[in-house]
Amino acid sequence: MSRYHDPKNRSAPSEPPVSFWFRFLRRFRRHRATWRALSGTLVYVLVGSLWIAFSDRVVEAWFGDTHLLSTVQTWKGFAFVLVTGAVLFGVLKRQLNKDRKLVARLQDMATRDGLTGLANRRETTRVLAEEIERARRYRRSLAVLWVDFDRFKTINDTLGHAAGDQVLQSASRTLLDSVRAVDTVGRFGGEEFVIVLPEMRTGEARDTAERLRRRIADQPIALANGESVRLTISIGVAVYPDHGDDVDALCAAADNAMYLAKSGGRNCVVLAVRPMPANRRATTLASSSNDNAKT
């Protein structure tokens, strides 16, 4: 079943069943630090136990002493190995958890925008490519919203870049809180944001964009100095597969629609223009060349 559809929707495609080994490997990867620490500790305990078990024979072989170690000494050795093994397990697990958190922090820095905490351009592009592939596989729609803040440069020039950063952070939180959990809000750079809306058709995408536009316009943004700023946005809407069938085509269509919204007075939503079919485009070009030849 598609993860975006309601379970009662019988038209949703079904996902292949997950095998036991896949679930086991997924849980193993989730607790990888614990398994690594445990495996290292078990190796240590095994080697130490073998050494104690055969230590009397080692002493006899090395020193020629036939005196065997007493049972008490042997069990003391086993207890020492177990205690030190438990300490080793704790140290290894703590160090591996630190390494895992460091890797997660580095991954987050590589995929998140440092100012707003949203997905950065690279991560948004990756998510969009995955969602397009999923929409193509299940024959579903997909919408892209290209959002640009109106006259944002004026805020930076009059109130300073610190105030501009506060406006970006507040507006990005508003956008993130206004979409679904499966949607992705990313910052493409400057004051341009891209929102990926999986399994959303043209009418729903336009309504969502209009709702976001009204919410940004109706909520003044409070600044740290006590002032408040009102902001408006212009949004371009493009839908797969109507306006493009890959990342570049969809982004270009949504970007062009956003510029049409800018030129149309700002603070509005514009739907991308449906591209001309290839056969019709060829016919139009042929007729245009014939007309030019006649003239």
Side-chain angles (χ1 to χ4, degrees):
M1 181 176 57
S2 174
R3 61 180 178 142
Y4 305 129
H5 276 270
D6 187 81
K8 297 180 181 180
N9 185 1
R10 301 181 182 274
S11 63
S14 58
E15 296 281 358
V18 179
S19 64
F20 165 78
W21 291 111
F22 180 82
R23 293 195 301 269
F24 174 79
L25 291 176
R26 185 168 56 185
R27 292 176 182 176
F28 176 81
R29 288 175 59 86
R30 188 181 306 166
H31 304 284
R32 188 159 35 186
T34 302
W35 287 110
R36 287 181 179 177
L38 183 60
S39 61
T41 305
L42 289 178
V43 171
Y44 169 79
V45 172
L46 178 61
V47 173
S49 300
L50 291 176
W51 168 258
I52 293 174
F54 296 98
S55 60
D56 52 350
R57 299 182 184 179
V58 173
V59 170
E60 182 180 359
W62 283 2
F63 303 102
D65 189 0
T66 58
H67 176 70
L68 300 180
L69 296 177
S70 65
T71 305
V72 176
Q73 289 176 327
T74 302
W75 283 109
K76 284 183 179 180
F78 278 121
F80 174 78
V81 170
L82 291 176
V83 171
T84 54
V87 174
L88 178 63
F89 173 77
V91 172
L92 288 176
K93 184 178 179 182
R94 182 164 56 250
Q95 184 61 40
L96 290 173
N97 282 332
K98 288 182 179 179
D99 295 341
R100 181 173 55 85
K101 291 179 180 178
L102 177 60
V103 172
R105 190 179 302 114
L106 292 176
Q107 290 178 346
D108 188 70
M109 292 173 61
T111 58
R112 295 291 169 183
D113 177 65
L115 178 63
T116 62
L118 301 176
N120 58 17
R121 185 185 188 118
R122 179 184 302 174
E123 179 67 9
T124 305
T125 304
R126 184 193 65 81
V127 171
L128 179 57
E130 289 185 354
E131 294 298 343
I132 289 176
E133 183 61 30
R134 182 177 290 108
R136 182 180 294 112
R137 185 188 311 131
Y138 294 126
R139 298 181 180 179
R140 299 291 179 180
S141 57
L142 166 72
V144 175
L145 307 184
W146 200 286
V147 182
D148 188 85
F149 295 168
D150 298 329
R151 298 184 175 89
F152 184 76
K153 186 176 183 301
T154 305
I155 298 177
N156 282 332
D157 294 340
T158 56
L159 300 177
H161 289 278
D165 291 344
Q166 295 180 27
V167 171
L168 286 176
Q169 292 171 344
S170 179
S172 63
R173 285 193 298 268
T174 301
L175 293 175
L176 189 62
D177 294 340
S178 303
V179 296
R180 303 169 301 178
V182 297
D183 300 332
T184 300
V185 182
R187 185 187 180 195
F188 251 46
E191 62 272 15
E192 289 187 341
F193 292 77
V194 172
I195 304 177
V196 182
L197 306 173
E199 299 202 7
M200 188 169 288
R201 299 179 179 178
T202 303
E204 299 170 331
R206 187 160 40 195
D207 293 341
T208 300
E210 186 63 31
R211 176 168 52 83
L212 294 176
R213 184 197 65 79
R214 289 197 304 267
R215 185 165 184 180
I216 292 292
D218 293 343
Q219 290 185 357
I221 299 175
L223 301 179
N225 57 6
E227 299 182 15
S228 61
V229 176
R230 285 194 172 273
L231 189 68
T232 60
I233 56 177
S234 300
I235 305 178
V237 182
V239 179
Y240 169 88
D242 298 340
H243 306 117
D245 57 358
D246 58 17
V247 174
D248 294 336
L250 271 182
C251 288
D255 189 24
N256 292 333
M258 184 272 294
Y259 277 106
L260 290 177
K262 289 280 191 182
S263 60
R266 297 182 176 86
N267 192 23
C268 61
V269 175
V270 173
L271 182 66
V273 179
R274 187 187 297 268
M276 185 181 297
N279 54 358
R280 184 178 174 186
R281 189 184 306 116
T283 303
T284 304
L285 291 176
S287 61
S288 299
S289 61
N290 293 333
D291 294 338
N292 292 332
K294 291 179 181 179
T295 57

